[in-house]
């Protein structure tokens, strides 16, 4: 079954995401961390909301950049509809995350030895 979320606000509230794995992934995001999601076939960037002044986490994500325009339009015209939602990963994001795994190879000596390969 394809994970879904209801268009019910200008943000997505994590508790409204029907898929437990995606819901857990979104809850685990640090404040103001971004995630790329495909919602109803449109890929866009979303940002985890900041925790409240009292320290309690705000369980939601905001659309960012062009996704904000898309989601706001859907909120005006499609409120109440269920749309598919899933995490996507761009090659650039993947390479940035993988490079953090191999910090022991990130030294001036290695750069000099292997820069021409």
């Amino acid at each position: 079954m394809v994970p879904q979320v209801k268009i019910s606000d200008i943000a997505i509230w994590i508790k409204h995401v029907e898929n437990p794995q995606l819901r857990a992934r979104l809850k685990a995001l640090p404040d103001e961390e971004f995630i790329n999601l495909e919602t109803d076939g449109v890929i866009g960037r979303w940002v985890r909301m900041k925790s409240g002044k009292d320290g309690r986490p705000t369980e939601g994500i905001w659309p960012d950049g062009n996704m904000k325009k898309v989601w706001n339009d859907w909120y005006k015209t499609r409120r109440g509809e269920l749309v598919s939602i899933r995490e996507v990963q761009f090659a650039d994001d993947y390479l940035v995350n993988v490079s953090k795994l191999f910090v022991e190879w990130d030294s001036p000596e290695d750069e000099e030895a292997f820069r021409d390969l």
Side-chain angles (χ1 to χ4, degrees), residues 16-17 36 53 56 72 78-79 81 91 107:
H16 294 164
V17 175
N36 294 309
K53 291 181 182 179
R56 288 184 296 163
N72 287 342
R78 299 176 61 188
R79 188 179 316 167
E81 282 186 38
S107 69

Side-chain angles (χ1 to χ4, degrees), residues 42-87:
V42 178
I43 297 173
R45 185 174 161 139
W46 294 78
V47 179
R48 174 67 192 256
M49 292 181 184
K50 286 191 227 179
S51 294
K53 291 181 182 179
D54 61 1
R56 288 184 296 163
T58 305
E59 300 284 326
I61 56 175
W62 291 105
D64 190 45
N66 289 328
M67 192 65 214
K68 187 173 187 175
K69 295 173 191 171
V70 171
W71 191 260
N72 287 342
D73 180 57
W74 288 356
Y75 179 64
K76 291 175 189 170
T77 60
R78 299 176 61 188
R79 188 179 316 167
E81 282 186 38
L82 284 172
V83 293
S84 61
I85 184 171
R86 69 181 183 96
E87 182 176 7

